[in-house]
Amino acid sequence: MVEKNPNDDFIELVETHQEKSKQIIAICNQKGGVAKTSTCLNLGAALAAQNKRVLLIDFDVQSNLSLLFGCKNERSFYEVHESDIKPTEIIKKVSENLWLLPANSKLSLLARHYLRQKNNGYFLREHIEPLKQYFDYILIDTPPSVKFFTPNALLAADFVIVPTQCEFLSMNGVLQTESIIQALAKSHPLDYRVLVTLYDQRNMASKVIFSKLKNKYQNTLFNTAIEFDPKVQESQIINQPVTHYDANATASKQYTQLAKELLSI
Ligand SMILES: Nc1ncnc2c1ncn2[C@@H]1O[C@H](COP(=O)(O)OP(=O)(O)O)[C@@H](O)[C@H]1O
Ligand SMILES: [Mg+2]
């Protein structure tokens, strides 16, 4: 839940000792509904609970991540671009160790403006650079769109998480995301891991595709998988990460496990 005390939005400068190869993490899959936004929120909260200072960037016109924190029509990177304000001025503290840089629908105008220009992939990278000193982790939530948003997030990132459901079309989204990562690799090589989300072990198709994913992505699949858990949806109704809503929920334990796995690789 957003705390309204303005002092809470102040970001004190701390020396971060974060290993730089995984400080900025883009969460991408060209398919919608694979839990990109839910992973950004809940992994971010789980890292914050591990005493890491975490910034979540909502880089999606739909602003779902912002809405999950109860933030509507807050200033976004559009206003940063239009009014020449600093990103630090629009960042909100949303809970202990966790900050949000919100989105709003005007991000589509930002994309339209940059898509008319050459070299439009570096907008986000340039604006994130000065923020790196304040946070251990910066997680970027992206839309399925391949234009502007995903390339900007990938070019700003040093690591990618590709969430996927165990179903055919989501796997295809993983392939599309991989091909974008590969297309950028000459100038910007990126390490990535595939994350199984919304896993339902009672569903036969899910089980078959999970074993296919394990075969195909032997070294690039997270050991932790996130199961389908209604507690994730319940927690979103009251604008909380699932880890805050019910620490004993299956998804809470799995996102905590994922945070630990991320810290260990
Ligand atoms: N582990 C989970 N268990 C149950 N529902 C989930 C889980 N993760 C996400 N959801 C739900 O699935 C839907 C899609 O998730 P979302 O994070 O919005 O996906 P994306 O950002 O990829 O479009 C949402 O309704 C969300 O509440
Ligand atoms: Mg989303």
Side-chain angles (χ1 to χ4, degrees), residues 160-174:
V160 191
I161 295 178
V162 190
T164 181
Q165 269 175 273
C166 286
E167 50 139 68
F168 180 70
L169 292 177
S170 308
M171 275 179 74
N172 201 47
V174 178

Side-chain angles (χ1 to χ4, degrees), residues 46-53 97 136:
L47 286 166
Q50 300 290 316
N51 225 6
K52 300 293 177 190
R53 293 165 59 88
N97 283 335
D136 296 306

Side-chain angles (χ1 to χ4, degrees), residues 33-49:
V34 295
K36 290 183 289 296
T37 302
S38 302
T39 295
C40 190
L41 167 74
N42 293 311
L43 174 60
L47 286 166

Side-chain angles (χ1 to χ4, degrees), residues 21-38:
S21 68
K22 280 195 304 305
Q23 185 187 16
I24 303 177
I25 302 174
I27 302 178
C28 300
N29 184 327
Q30 299 326 115
K31 167 108 175 41
V34 295
K36 290 183 289 296
T37 302
S38 302

Side-chain angles (χ1 to χ4, degrees), residues 29 31-40 42 60 62 64 68 141-144 163 165 197-199 226-234 236 251 254-255:
N29 184 327
K31 167 108 175 41
V34 295
K36 290 183 289 296
T37 302
S38 302
T39 295
C40 190
N42 293 311
D60 182 351
Q62 286 194 14
N64 286 344
L68 289 178
D141 185 30
T142 65
Q165 269 175 273
T197 56
L198 289 150
Y199 182 58
I226 311 295
E227 282 177 58
F228 182 93
D229 181 353
K231 296 272 180 184
V232 170
Q233 293 165 357
E234 288 170 29
Q236 293 179 348
Q254 290 168 339
Y255 274 113

